[in-house]
Amino acid sequence: MSTTTLAKGITTGLRAAMEKDSRVVLMGEDIGKLGGVFRVTEGLQKDFGEDRVVDTPLAEAGIVGTAIGLALRGYRPVVEIQFDGFVYPAFDHIVSQVAKLHARSLGSVRVPMVIRIPVGGGIGAVEHHSESNEAYFAHTAGLRVLACSTPHDAHWMIQQAIETDDPVIFYEPKRRYWDKGEVGEEPAGALGSARVVREGTDVTLLAYGPMVKTCLQAAQAAQEDGHSLEVVDLRSLSPLDEETVLASARRTGRVVVVHEAPTFLGLGAELSAMLSERAFYELEAPVLRVGGYNVPYPPSRLEDDFLPDLDRVLDAVDRSLAY
Amino acid sequence: MSTTTLAKGITTGLRAAMEKDSRVVLMGEDIGKLGGVFRVTEGLQKDFGEDRVVDTPLAEAGIVGTAIGLALRGYRPVVEIQFDGFVYPAFDHIVSQVAKLHARSLGSVRVPMVIRIPVGGGIGAVEHHSESNEAYFAHTAGLRVLACSTPHDAHWMIQQAIETDDPVIFYEPKRRYWDKGEVGEEPAGALGSARVVREGTDVTLLAYGPMVKTCLQAAQAAQEDGHSLEVVDLRSLSPLDEETVLASARRTGRVVVVHEAPTFLGLGAELSAMLSERAFYELEAPVLRVGGYNVPYPPSRLEDDFLPDLDRVLDAVDRSLAY
Amino acid sequence: MSDDEVAPLETAFGVDHHVTHAELPDRPAHEGGPDMVQLLTPEGERVAHPELDPLVEALSREELQGLYRDLVLIRRFDAEATALQRQGELGLWASLLGQEAAQVGSGRALRPQDHAFPTYREHGVAWCRGVDPVNLLGMFRGVNHGGWDPDEKNFHLYTIIIGAQTLHATGYAMGVQRDGDVGTGDPQRDTAVIAYFGDGASSQGDVSEALVFAGVNNSPVVFFCQNNQWAISEPNEKQTRAPLWHRARGFGFPGIRVDGNDVLAVYAVTAQALENARCGQGPTFVEAYTYRMGAHTTSDDPTKYRVSAEVEVWKHRDPIERYKRWLTTSGTADAAFFEAVEAEADELGRSVRERCLAMPDPDGTAMFDHVYAEAHPVTARERAWFTEYQASFEQEVAR
Amino acid sequence: MSDDEVAPLETAFGVDHHVTHAELPDRPAHEGGPDMVQLLTPEGERVAHPELDPLVEALSREELQGLYRDLVLIRRFDAEATALQRQGELGLWASLLGQEAAQVGSGRALRPQDHAFPTYREHGVAWCRGVDPVNLLGMFRGVNHGGWDPDEKNFHLYTIIIGAQTLHATGYAMGVQRDGDVGTGDPQRDTAVIAYFGDGASSQGDVSEALVFAGVNNSPVVFFCQNNQWAISEPNEKQTRAPLWHRARGFGFPGIRVDGNDVLAVYAVTAQALENARCGQGPTFVEAYTYRMGAHTTSDDPTKYRVSAEVEVWKHRDPIERYKRWLTTSGTADAAFFEAVEAEADELGRSVRERCLAMPDPDGTAMFDHVYAEAHPVTARERAWFTEYQASFEQEVAR
Ligand SMILES: Cc1ncc(C[n+]2csc(CCOP(=O)(O)OP(=O)(O)O)c2C)c(N)n1
Ligand SMILES: Cc1ncc(C[n+]2csc(CCOP(=O)(O)OP(=O)(O)O)c2C)c(N)n1
Ligand SMILES: [Mg+2]
Ligand SMILES: [Mg+2]
């Protein structure tokens, strides 16, 4: 048990994976001497050398494309995309190659690659540095999509992501990088599992990444108003842990999904559709969605207006309870 | 009124737009002498010259990127992406530039660009030639996404797409390219509108592009079984014509969404979520989704198993009616 | 497109970048230009080349005959596949007609431990690597997306997304470097990677990025561009203003143009480039100047965009004819040999046809296989649903 | 990275591609190499250059003084912005310190009808184009993503996605061609486009694709690469094995390296390249060899990855000092002039600060503006919801 930040939780997770398996190779822009713009890879090049912590040319398609080649040679590349908005030049390689090579080869080839993406807003950044693009990848068969929300999960989930033979998009909630928490001795659940992080009886809040903390705060505030909210940290966005989600939804009968991404075709849409398909008679209210608006991520002075916060979550809870 | 194929409906629509506005420029691979691999631009280079029907280098990012520049200079580029699976190299320019430039410039710049994409399966093609990737673009604020399903709509909607000052992703259902139909004198509705293409009372089928025909066939078959199905052609995937959809859903109380894309986070998810948010008490059954499976598009000998067909639509109708 | 444009600006600046060329048989630009390496004229005459001759001379009579056999057999295979497509047995076929020498010459320059990353047209390379050609038909027949294990013969899967494989090859070569399989001096160990791509592909950003990564890492990869003059309907001029082999220099490594219809020249140039890669001298860009004699694929109609006179000119440069002439005049092979190869080709054609027709359609559930390497709830649920749904029809039929 | 590597393979093939260079002042590779065009030494001495001298000699005393004024004012503006960031008034700042000459020299070579497509660091070019520098602060303050109308001064919006603007510039130049604004001989009409990008950006596929499109179309675009030696923490060697200006040749047009800290050389080279573009001679790649004296942005900590000795070396090549020396020794400007510029700079700093602090925060509803040019139901509904939701708080507060 040790206390550390979410960022350092990933650092120690990467370090553990690299120590365990010499074929784990980190690739990305500025991840070497600089340790990455968020310092997540700090110290790793010094300890593991330039062949295992690679400062690549500035070209995301090139990074993911060559990582595929390394994976085909038996390596396990862990790619850092510097900011969420910079993953798109690599989109083609991710959806047409990384996601499909295993199936294309009838199983003879594996692409055990992890693509780490610092995600979301709330840090006052300029354009393209605050996006939440998980829906694109979750909609893509062949990929697994994970989102961690605590130092503990950061440490363990990155290792699970590296260990699985499937390619993983690994989201790190950048505005929680500096949040501290304890890292325990064991993962909080298997790859793909969600976790009830606060039990409650009136309404279920479904969240992941940066919004888990917001939902926990909302649940705390709601308690003072006499409402008991359950908070589920999805942890895996593809596949979803439908059983955990369903069990909670059945218990409370009311669900609010919270994410930073625009709601239109965001994860909330899938969760809503799935819940109405699988728990139609058990829902007392429609699944409500709290998310970013359907606009490009705004300039930072407006991000507080854009991002779901405690008040907007509680507003949705009230609307749900009103049904 | 004239009878023509869907492909030629687009050709005549493009021709009309080019005659009307000399700043309309077509760009793409093999669209000149060859007339495009589907011959949609056949004859246009001969009539409008190489400056207005441009055979570009083989580079989709380059095509869309330079089209942006042309748009900034006041042109109205219409880009052809040869097949659905080849749009991804241009993904970055589409989501980070095309979709955002108008907002970024506080309205001073417009990007009146149309990106034509032959979409979907059913033509026995090899990999990457049969994909349905509309959800990626529909989830992207700043874009409009259209899908035509008949020669009439093909002819008129492409012109509406060119006329609007917003960027448009324009989907053409490739396996319906050779279907014939009449092209009337007027558009079948404004940009963004859906259309009830068959009225019915028991269940609403929501579809677009290639699946409209499938749904009409299903409705015909269902009639013989005594079920009255309403079919709505969405036509616009972003924005959705929620009012038309809602009105139909309220009439029938039961909705089945049909598309070729995998259901997980496909358009059906959004429609289901929206309908339960806006018509919770009026739905007799959960919105059911019939779509591709959550797998990469399979080899063509399996595509009939993958693609929603009349039977699968009717199976969902039965399940809906069983609620 | 002319190879010898003069740079007005640089000249204006007093900087003369005009490339100086060593002596090679003079040749007009439309025939590949003066820099194109050629060891056999279209008439089958041997052109001396002091640096490369030793590589060719090291080939045994059997190896020299083998090249011919490869050329003929792969052409026959290709013709059979085209016929199968016409008869509805394949959904599509991408013919290599005319490019046999480029593929066989380079394919035979590979050592067993080397790795090849093809486009969708490298049937000749697959053949040289020992991939059963019937396996190449699977994706065109629509029974799979790639019918062989890439690690079995070190021949990777066909890649349809233009240019993508050049990055995969480069990354693979970076892996080879990390494995220490470069520059050891052990001919069984030192490994090179070859990436195939077309003239059209050269425009894709991916390909340029591959040149960047390979250059920066000095990786053991050969970029083998088959310039068959056309990217579907677009001629070279729509893709590039400079000869393609010029591209490499600006990324920090050498480029070379070779007559792609001259199997000896292609062999020698590629062998040298691969050897340089294995020794740790880094990448090379080889432009094999050739011609796509047929349609782009069986779906294509080249009469829409190119004149038959052009095709006629290239017929005179046929890679098989020219090599056959040289084999004959040099006394390397005789009529009996040629006849035997012909017979073998007939047999190959028959066998390929037979085995193609026998290829079973996969079961519908196959689409759920290998989407993920590890258990996945959505795939599992959908697979179960699909199986049950299929069964319900069979019951109906049974009833 | 050395400029004069020899190509082993090509040599092995008897093809010598080693570029021959005309006479230019000898200079070691780490100072830009022998091919770098320089008109002023770091000590401020004028180097003769027969081809380019006329361009410089055509400048009036006022214009020559104006260049100095630009250099000083934009440096002062930049320093003020850095200070504003430190004081929390900006979220971020990307300083141009050290790159003033590259930006002013190229910016002043533009004609009014020309168009510039910047990265996020071209404050000096914006200044030359007449964009009010306060407008550049908006996106760094977080009040907008781009605070000026690109068509007002023909200076396009800052582009953060590395390399993307090179394609936009190329497409824009293709539009210029379609408008017939190339090669008419009318100096008010013929139009060129300039695309700025960095050494790191050269690795992006987009940039290579822009070179392809510009080459194929012979478009009037100048690719202006500010090689400031660093892409955040990565030095040139991580991006390229060859000098960047070599890149152009393989795409079919000339490349040239100019001393990016020599405002006269940058001016002359860019003016010539732009003029060639306007005349219909097509694109040029200009590599301005310079140095990023400060951090990548205010968020960066360069001590992690580069040694101060390097920075010290470059201090001796300061673009302003050297030009000031030449202005003085050549008698083009005197102390009174320099003092006046200093005073003007102080005034600019004060005004920028004042107006930055006065920049209002936009209203929350602004995020719904201009997402679409035409009415959009989702935006409209969300905007209405947002407005009502905001109002509910205000009511609460009012209560
Ligand atoms: C990214 C992408 N865009 C477009 C295509 C469609 N396409 C298939 S082959 C081809 C032309 C390729 O030309 P070239 O690279 O010269 O190879 P060749 O077919 O001549 O061997 C095109 C445009 C594709 N497969 N992938
Ligand atoms: C596509 C993309 N990837 C990564 C980044 C993050 N990033 C911003 S600036 C930069 C370095 C750019 O270096 P260079 O092109 O040399 O320009 P300079 O900053 O030195 O002026 C990086 C990696 C980005 N903005 N866009
Ligand atoms: Mg070709
Ligand atoms: Mg730089």
Side-chain angles (χ1 to χ4, degrees):
Chain A
M1 208 62 138
S2 67
T3 301
T4 186
T5 61
L6 191 148
K8 286 299 159 214
I10 298 168
T11 313
T12 54
L14 289 171
R15 181 179 287 279
M18 294 181 80
E19 277 165 359
K20 205 161 135 191
D21 184 347
S22 66
R23 298 184 82 82
V24 174
V25 171
L26 313 191
M27 303 169 72
E29 297 157 6
D30 306 296
I31 67 168
K33 275 195 187 152
L34 186 62
V37 293
F38 291 108
R39 307 292 185 270
V40 168
T41 54
E42 190 148 56
L44 297 177
Q45 189 180 66
K46 200 167 136 275
D47 294 348
F48 294 98
E50 293 197 19
D51 268 2
R52 295 191 62 198
V53 181
V54 188
D55 270 332
T56 63
L58 204 179
E60 287 78 8
I63 300 171
V64 174
T66 55
I68 290 169
L70 277 156
L72 295 176
R73 183 73 183 180
Y75 286 86
R76 301 183 89 83
V78 181
V79 163
E80 173 174 305
I81 298 291
Q82 202 162 75
F83 279 88
D84 32 59
F86 307 150
V87 71
Y88 307 125
F91 200 77
D92 178 50
H93 278 274
I94 297 175
V95 307
S96 293
Q97 308 296 340
V98 175
K100 291 181 176 152
L101 265 162
H102 184 60
R104 183 181 305 150
S105 70
L106 305 176
S108 54
V109 151
R110 298 184 174 209
V111 189
M113 185 191 302
V114 179
I115 299 177
R116 295 179 39 235
I117 308 182
V119 75
I123 64 160
V126 293
E127 205 186 350
H128 311 292
H129 289 67
S130 306
E131 309 205 347
S132 295
N133 43 28
E134 62 275 10
Y136 297 141
F137 300 112
H139 182 55
T140 306
L143 302 176
R144 292 179 190 269
V145 182
L146 301 181
C148 62
S149 73
T150 64
H152 178 86
D153 270 355
H155 176 82
W156 289 110
M157 285 170 65
I158 188 68
Q159 294 182 67
Q160 292 175 326
I162 294 170
E163 264 158 34
T164 177
D165 274 351
D166 287 319
V168 175
I169 308 292
F170 191 84
Y171 281 109
E172 304 170 2
K174 66 170 86 81
R175 63 163 142 158
R176 309 294 185 211
Y177 267 144
W178 305 281
D179 282 9
K180 287 194 173 163
E182 299 207 323
V183 174
E185 300 299 317
E186 280 192 2
L191 179 77
S193 64
R195 210 158 64 87
V196 177
V197 290
R198 179 185 172 116
E199 295 188 356
T201 52
D202 297 342
V203 178
T204 296
L205 301 181
L206 301 178
Y208 51 92
M211 286 292 108
V212 173
K213 183 171 173 180
T214 306
C215 285
L216 285 169
Q217 290 166 341
Q220 188 64 35
Q223 193 176 23
E224 286 153 29
D225 287 355
H227 296 312
S228 163
L229 307 189
E230 177 145 309
V231 180
V232 178
D233 181 353
L234 295 173
R235 298 167 83 250
S236 174
L237 312 185
S238 175
L240 288 167
D241 179 353
E242 296 187 11
E243 304 315 320
T244 300
V245 169
L246 271 167
S248 177
R250 289 192 174 117
R251 272 196 299 276
T252 61
R254 297 173 198 278
V255 177
V256 173
V257 191
V258 185
H259 52 59
E260 292 190 11
T263 52
F264 192 90
L265 267 168
L267 257 285
E270 178 58 35
L271 285 157
S272 172
M274 184 273 285
L275 284 165
S276 80
E277 279 162 359
R278 299 192 61 189
F280 186 66
Y281 292 120
E282 288 133 301
L283 292 178
E284 310 279 346
V287 174
L288 296 183
R289 296 179 282 172
V290 179
Y293 300 103
N294 294 280
V295 303
Y297 196 89
S300 61
R301 298 251 171 164
L302 296 183
E303 68 182 342
D304 287 346
D305 286 326
F306 175 88
L307 291 168
D309 61 6
L310 193 146
D311 287 325
R312 277 174 63 201
V313 173
L314 293 178
D315 175 78
V317 165
D318 287 346
R319 282 185 283 128
S320 177
L321 285 166
Y323 271 82
Chain B
M1 206 65 139
S2 69
T3 301
T4 187
T5 62
L6 191 149
K8 287 300 159 213
I10 299 168
T11 313
T12 55
L14 289 171
R15 181 179 288 279
M18 294 182 79
E19 276 165 359
K20 205 161 134 192
D21 184 347
S22 67
R23 298 185 82 81
V24 174
V25 171
L26 314 191
M27 304 169 72
E29 296 157 8
D30 307 296
I31 67 168
K33 274 196 188 154
L34 185 63
V37 293
F38 292 108
R39 306 292 185 271
V40 168
T41 54
E42 191 148 55
L44 297 178
Q45 190 180 66
K46 200 168 136 276
D47 294 348
F48 295 98
E50 294 197 18
D51 268 2
R52 295 192 61 198
V53 181
V54 188
D55 270 332
T56 64
L58 204 179
E60 287 78 8
I63 300 171
V64 174
T66 55
I68 291 169
L70 277 156
L72 295 176
R73 182 75 184 178
Y75 287 86
R76 302 183 88 84
V78 181
V79 163
E80 174 174 305
I81 298 292
Q82 202 161 74
F83 280 89
D84 32 58
F86 307 150
V87 71
Y88 307 124
F91 199 77
D92 178 49
H93 278 274
I94 297 174
V95 307
S96 293
Q97 309 295 341
V98 174
K100 291 181 177 151
L101 265 162
H102 184 60
R104 184 180 306 151
S105 71
L106 304 177
S108 54
V109 150
R110 301 187 170 207
V111 189
M113 185 192 301
V114 179
I115 299 177
R116 296 178 38 235
I117 307 182
V119 75
I123 64 160
V126 295
E127 206 186 349
H128 312 292
H129 289 68
S130 307
E131 309 204 347
S132 296
N133 43 29
E134 62 275 10
Y136 297 141
F137 300 113
H139 181 56
T140 306
L143 302 176
R144 292 180 189 267
V145 182
L146 301 181
C148 61
S149 73
T150 65
H152 178 84
D153 270 355
H155 176 81
W156 289 109
M157 285 171 65
I158 188 69
Q159 294 182 67
Q160 292 174 327
I162 294 170
E163 264 157 34
T164 176
D165 275 351
D166 287 319
V168 176
I169 309 291
F170 190 85
Y171 282 109
E172 304 170 4
K174 66 170 86 80
R175 65 163 139 158
R176 310 294 184 211
Y177 266 143
W178 304 281
D179 283 9
K180 287 194 172 161
E182 299 208 322
V183 174
E185 300 300 316
E186 281 194 0
L191 179 77
S193 63
R195 210 158 63 86
V196 177
V197 290
R198 180 185 171 118
E199 294 189 355
T201 52
D202 298 342
V203 178
T204 296
L205 301 181
L206 301 178
Y208 52 91
M211 286 293 108
V212 173
K213 182 171 174 181
T214 306
C215 286
L216 285 170
Q217 290 166 339
Q220 188 64 34
Q223 192 175 25
E224 287 152 29
D225 287 356
H227 296 311
S228 164
L229 308 189
E230 177 146 310
V231 180
V232 178
D233 181 353
L234 295 173
R235 298 169 80 251
S236 174
L237 312 184
S238 175
L240 288 167
D241 179 353
E242 295 187 12
E243 303 315 319
T244 301
V245 169
L246 270 167
S248 177
R250 289 191 174 119
R251 272 196 298 277
T252 61
R254 297 172 199 276
V255 177
V256 173
V257 190
V258 185
H259 52 60
E260 292 190 12
T263 52
F264 193 89
L265 266 169
L267 258 286
E270 177 58 34
L271 286 157
S272 172
M274 183 274 286
L275 284 165
S276 80
E277 279 162 0
R278 299 192 62 187
F280 186 66
Y281 292 120
E282 288 133 302
L283 292 177
E284 311 279 345
V287 174
L288 296 183
R289 298 179 281 172
V290 179
Y293 300 103
N294 293 281
V295 303
Y297 197 91
S300 60
R301 298 251 171 166
L302 296 184
E303 69 182 341
D304 287 346
D305 286 326
F306 175 89
L307 290 168
D309 60 6
L310 194 145
D311 287 326
R312 277 174 64 201
V313 173
L314 293 177
D315 174 78
V317 166
D318 287 346
R319 283 185 282 127
S320 177
L321 286 165
Y323 270 82
Chain C
M1 189 184 60
S2 144
D3 286 10
D4 32 41
E5 289 154 17
V6 177
L9 180 63
E10 284 160 2
T11 309
F13 286 155
V15 184
D16 176 11
H17 291 287
H18 196 69
V19 166
T20 60
H21 301 299
E23 302 310 293
L24 273 176
D26 253 29
R27 203 174 294 112
H30 69 272
E31 290 179 16
D35 291 322
M36 185 167 81
V37 174
Q38 195 180 65
L39 300 186
L40 283 181
T41 67
E43 292 70 37
E45 278 154 35
R46 189 70 167 71
V47 182
H49 193 295
E51 286 82 11
L52 294 176
D53 286 345
L55 285 163
V56 173
E57 281 149 21
L59 292 174
S60 69
R61 170 185 291 257
E62 284 64 40
E63 285 169 324
L64 289 168
Q65 291 184 347
L67 292 175
Y68 179 81
R69 179 178 167 271
D70 293 335
L71 294 171
V72 171
L73 263 58
I74 200 63
R75 179 172 287 186
R76 179 63 62 90
F77 164 74
D78 187 74
E80 198 62 46
T82 299
L84 284 164
Q85 195 281 335
R86 292 227 180 85
Q87 292 150 19
E89 294 296 335
L90 302 179
L92 184 82
W93 183 244
S95 166
L96 62 28
L97 192 66
Q99 300 177 221
E100 294 88 351
Q103 297 191 11
V104 167
S106 58
R108 284 298 171 199
L110 294 165
R111 295 236 186 92
Q113 71 271 27
D114 294 339
H115 279 256
F117 285 77
T119 72
Y120 40 80
R121 207 189 284 286
E122 272 68 65
H123 322 312
V125 183
W127 169 263
C128 294
R129 296 261 77 190
V131 175
D132 182 344
V134 176
N135 290 344
L136 303 174
L137 302 180
M139 65 178 264
F140 294 99
R141 188 169 166 87
V143 301
N144 59 45
H145 287 319
W148 60 94
D149 177 350
D151 287 323
E152 205 173 297
K153 307 288 184 186
N154 294 357
F155 183 73
H156 288 260
L157 292 180
Y158 278 178
T159 299
I160 291 175
I161 300 293
I162 298 292
Q165 74 283 359
T166 59
L167 280 168
H168 307 164
T170 303
Y172 199 93
M174 289 164 61
V176 167
Q177 291 175 291
R178 279 163 180 71
D179 289 345
D181 294 340
V182 181
T184 68
D186 175 353
Q188 252 87 65
R189 177 170 176 189
D190 288 340
T191 301
V193 180
I194 189 165
Y196 289 89
F197 61 106
D199 44 296
S202 69
S203 297
Q204 284 283 12
D206 272 9
V207 175
S208 292
E209 292 189 8
L211 304 185
V212 168
F213 277 69
V216 166
N217 292 295
N218 201 35
S219 298
V221 54
V222 172
F223 294 99
F224 194 91
C225 177
Q226 284 172 81
N227 179 355
N228 64 7
Q229 313 300 325
W230 292 92
I232 309 188
S233 73
E234 301 195 16
N236 273 200
E237 307 89 80
K238 297 279 172 199
Q239 309 290 346
T240 183
R241 197 177 167 191
L244 289 172
W245 64 283
H246 284 197
R247 204 57 67 80
R249 264 269 137 251
F251 293 89
F253 53 88
I256 188 106
R257 177 179 275 180
V258 61
D259 185 336
N261 286 13
D262 171 353
V263 69
L264 291 182
V266 174
Y267 168 80
V269 164
T270 315
Q272 179 69 54
L274 288 166
E275 189 52 23
N276 287 2
R278 289 187 208 103
C279 294
Q281 285 186 53
T284 305
F285 185 116
V286 176
E287 178 191 355
Y289 199 77
T290 179
Y291 193 75
R292 194 193 79 205
M293 293 299 291
H296 169 68
T297 65
T298 47
S299 297
D300 179 39
D301 174 8
T303 64
K304 296 241 174 213
Y305 54 81
R306 72 183 188 188
V307 294
S308 58
E310 182 182 291
V311 183
E312 285 309 311
V313 167
W314 279 91
K315 267 192 191 150
H316 295 296
R317 302 183 192 147
D318 185 78
I320 300 191
E321 274 318 298
R322 111 168 47 173
Y323 190 53
K324 187 175 185 181
R325 275 190 210 121
W326 178 75
L327 285 176
T328 309
T329 55
S330 66
T332 315
D334 58 14
F337 168 74
F338 296 128
E339 268 162 44
V341 169
E342 228 33 60
E344 206 185 341
D346 289 344
E347 175 49 31
L348 175 68
R350 198 166 46 246
S351 139
V352 161
R353 158 168 301 266
E354 206 176 283
R355 293 189 295 143
C356 175
L357 301 185
M359 269 180 147
D361 273 5
D363 184 75
T365 55
M367 71 180 141
F368 301 102
D369 292 341
H370 312 302
V371 178
Y372 292 93
E374 299 182 16
H376 193 282
V378 179
T379 314
R381 185 177 62 229
E382 289 189 345
R383 185 195 192 102
W385 188 90
F386 175 81
T387 309
E388 210 178 299
Y389 177 72
Q390 291 287 88
S392 72
F393 281 95
E394 278 149 33
Q395 278 169 353
E396 241 171 69
V397 172
R399 255 188 271 136
Chain D
M1 190 184 58
S2 144
D3 286 10
D4 33 40
E5 289 154 16
V6 177
L9 180 64
E10 285 161 1
T11 309
F13 286 157
V15 184
D16 176 13
H17 291 286
H18 195 69
V19 166
T20 59
H21 300 300
E23 303 310 294
L24 272 176
D26 254 29
R27 201 173 294 111
H30 69 272
E31 290 178 15
D35 292 321
M36 184 167 82
V37 174
Q38 195 180 66
L39 300 187
L40 282 182
T41 67
E43 292 70 38
E45 278 154 34
R46 189 71 168 70
V47 182
H49 193 296
E51 286 82 10
L52 295 176
D53 285 345
L55 286 163
V56 173
E57 281 149 21
L59 293 174
S60 68
R61 171 186 289 257
E62 284 65 39
E63 286 169 324
L64 289 168
Q65 290 184 348
L67 292 176
Y68 179 81
R69 179 177 167 271
D70 293 335
L71 294 171
V72 170
L73 264 58
I74 200 64
R75 179 172 287 185
R76 178 64 61 93
F77 163 74
D78 186 74
E80 198 62 45
T82 300
L84 284 163
Q85 195 281 334
R86 291 226 181 87
Q87 292 150 19
E89 294 296 334
L90 302 179
L92 184 81
W93 183 245
S95 166
L96 63 27
L97 191 67
Q99 301 177 220
E100 294 88 352
Q103 297 191 10
V104 167
S106 58
R108 284 297 172 199
L110 293 165
R111 295 236 186 92
Q113 71 270 27
D114 294 339
H115 279 256
F117 285 77
T119 72
Y120 40 80
R121 206 189 285 286
E122 273 68 65
H123 321 312
V125 182
W127 168 264
C128 294
R129 297 261 76 191
V131 174
D132 182 344
V134 175
N135 290 344
L136 303 174
L137 303 179
M139 65 177 265
F140 294 99
R141 188 169 166 88
V143 301
N144 59 44
H145 289 319
W148 60 96
D149 177 350
D151 287 322
E152 204 173 299
K153 307 288 183 185
N154 293 357
F155 183 73
H156 288 260
L157 292 181
Y158 277 178
T159 299
I160 291 176
I161 299 294
I162 298 293
Q165 75 283 0
T166 59
L167 280 168
H168 307 164
T170 303
Y172 199 94
M174 289 163 62
V176 167
Q177 291 175 292
R178 277 163 183 72
D179 289 343
D181 294 341
V182 181
T184 68
D186 176 352
Q188 252 88 65
R189 176 169 178 189
D190 288 341
T191 301
V193 180
I194 190 165
Y196 289 89
F197 60 106
D199 44 296
S202 69
S203 297
Q204 283 284 12
D206 272 9
V207 175
S208 292
E209 292 189 8
L211 304 184
V212 168
F213 277 70
V216 166
N217 292 296
N218 201 35
S219 299
V221 54
V222 172
F223 295 98
F224 193 91
C225 177
Q226 284 171 81
N227 180 354
N228 65 6
Q229 312 301 324
W230 293 92
I232 309 188
S233 73
E234 300 195 16
N236 273 201
E237 306 89 80
K238 297 281 173 197
Q239 308 290 346
T240 182
R241 196 176 167 192
L244 289 172
W245 64 281
H246 284 197
R247 203 56 68 81
R249 263 269 140 249
F251 293 89
F253 54 89
I256 189 105
R257 177 179 275 179
V258 61
D259 186 334
N261 286 13
D262 170 354
V263 70
L264 291 182
V266 174
Y267 168 80
V269 164
T270 315
Q272 179 69 54
L274 289 166
E275 190 51 23
N276 287 3
R278 290 187 208 103
C279 293
Q281 286 187 54
T284 305
F285 186 115
V286 176
E287 178 190 354
Y289 199 76
T290 179
Y291 194 75
R292 194 194 79 207
M293 294 299 293
H296 169 68
T297 66
T298 47
S299 297
D300 179 40
D301 174 8
T303 64
K304 295 242 175 211
Y305 54 81
R306 72 182 188 187
V307 294
S308 59
E310 182 182 290
V311 184
E312 286 309 310
V313 167
W314 279 89
K315 268 194 192 151
H316 295 295
R317 303 184 190 145
D318 185 77
I320 301 190
E321 273 318 298
R322 107 168 52 172
Y323 190 52
K324 188 176 184 181
R325 274 191 212 122
W326 177 76
L327 285 177
T328 309
T329 55
S330 66
T332 315
D334 58 14
F337 167 75
F338 295 129
E339 267 162 44
V341 170
E342 226 36 58
E344 206 185 340
D346 290 343
E347 175 49 31
L348 175 68
R350 197 168 45 247
S351 140
V352 161
R353 158 168 300 268
E354 206 176 281
R355 293 189 297 142
C356 174
L357 300 185
M359 269 179 146
D361 274 6
D363 184 74
T365 54
M367 70 179 141
F368 300 103
D369 291 342
H370 312 301
V371 178
Y372 292 93
E374 300 183 16
H376 193 280
V378 179
T379 314
R381 185 177 62 229
E382 290 189 345
R383 185 196 191 101
W385 188 90
F386 175 81
T387 309
E388 210 178 301
Y389 177 70
Q390 292 286 87
S392 73
F393 282 95
E394 278 149 34
Q395 278 170 352
E396 242 171 71
V397 172
R399 256 187 272 135

